[in-house]
Amino acid sequence: MAVIIGGLIVVWLGLSMSAALLRWLGIELHYLARIIAPLLLAVLETVLFLLAIPGSDLLAEGWHWPLTGGLIAAAWLINGGVGAGYWYQHRPPKEVPQAEQ
């Protein structure tokens, strides 16, 4: 259970700390970068989980890969949700066809 909670904390802190660091540095990302940045963070977290969890002594041998897969899925769902949420809130409006007169 501690590994799951720790992994979710890593995912959430990655998002929060990267956003706070960009604000502190005064960096404003453009539209496409705000969508892609959480996905790149998910790639980084995937690599981190693949390197850290399978070799961990905290888990029984049979739990290494199921927890690794679960945390990788959570990283992609959370980070993908952030990117998709930003896209949904800031997507360009649909053009309404003008009626002919």
Side-chain angles (χ1 to χ4, degrees):
M1 188 59 139
V3 174
I4 295 171
I5 293 170
L8 293 176
I9 289 171
V10 165
V11 172
W12 204 252
L13 281 178
L15 280 168
S16 301
M17 288 175 53
S18 59
L21 180 65
L22 289 174
R23 277 192 301 272
W24 182 70
L25 292 172
I27 298 173
E28 182 72 27
L29 297 178
H30 58 82
Y31 175 74
L32 190 56
R34 284 184 183 228
I35 296 171
I36 293 174
L39 301 178
L40 293 176
L41 184 60
V43 170
L44 179 68
E45 290 165 349
T46 299
V47 171
L48 175 74
F49 291 147
L50 285 173
L51 292 175
I53 295 175
S56 173
D57 294 334
L58 296 173
L59 298 170
E61 187 66 34
W63 284 95
H64 287 204
W65 289 108
L67 280 178
T68 302
L71 286 174
I72 290 172
W76 282 95
L77 285 172
I78 293 169
N79 290 316
V82 168
Y86 181 80
W87 168 82
Y88 184 76
Q89 291 173 353
H90 297 92
R91 68 187 186 282
K94 290 182 180 179
E95 291 185 23
V96 178
Q98 298 288 333
E100 292 184 29
Q101 294 182 6

